[in-house]
Amino acid sequence: MKPFNSLREAAEYAVTLSDGWHFANTSETYEKESLLPLAQTSDEEDPIDEDNFYLVSSGGSIGLCEDAEDIDWLFIANAEKDTVLPDVYSASTDNCFCSQCGHRLAPGANFCDECGAKLN
Ligand SMILES: [Zn+2]
């Protein structure tokens, strides 16, 4: 799963993985054409806190992760309709946060730029 700081960025990545979504537990559906403007509006009107970020699953579902922990899946990709998505974000499997100090890491980083820990 990849973290994103805005819904627009998450949506732009998600549209490369899926071409349809439904919103959480509702029957409301979205396509590429409706997802991107919605994401833009959401960022403008309701930006997320610094401690939160959006996640995109391998199948293109979009979730909101709060405090780098609980995941609230917002847009479920059609292909993942029946998939059980994780409800907790695991930094270790994604290597997006330093295991020593918890600092957010740049993609592909070999060392934590906060504490210098070597990363796998
Ligand atoms: Zn660190």
Side-chain angles (χ1 to χ4, degrees), residues 3 95-99 102-109 111-114 119:
N95 201 21
C96 289
F97 292 86
C98 176
S99 56
H103 182 71
R104 184 104 163 246
L105 303 170
F111 292 90
C112 173
D113 60 19
E114 184 71 21
L119 310 166

Side-chain angles (χ1 to χ4, degrees), residues 18-115:
S18 178
D19 53 11
W21 297 261
H22 70 265
F23 188 73
N25 296 317
T26 73
S27 56
E28 197 126 16
T29 58
Y30 295 90
E31 296 170 349
K32 286 180 187 184
E33 292 72 20
S34 49
L35 186 71
L36 291 173
L38 180 92
Q40 177 105 32
T41 306
S42 170
D43 285 337
E44 284 166 9
E45 293 180 356
D46 190 20
I48 52 173
D49 294 342
E50 252 178 55
D51 294 340
N52 301 345
F53 53 88
Y54 290 101
L55 285 171
V56 176
S57 73
S58 56
S61 299
I62 304 173
L64 174 62
C65 186
E66 299 192 4
D67 304 321
E69 224 175 278
D70 297 335
I71 307 174
D72 191 9
W73 291 99
L74 305 172
F75 298 92
I76 317 297
N78 289 347
E80 294 191 322
K81 189 157 53 82
D82 300 315
T83 305
V84 178
L85 294 162
D87 55 9
V88 173
Y89 184 65
S90 171
S92 56
T93 53
D94 259 30
N95 201 21
C96 289
F97 292 86
C98 176
S99 56
Q100 299 299 312
C101 72
H103 182 71
R104 184 104 163 246
L105 303 170
N110 293 318
F111 292 90
C112 173
D113 60 19
E114 184 71 21
C115 75

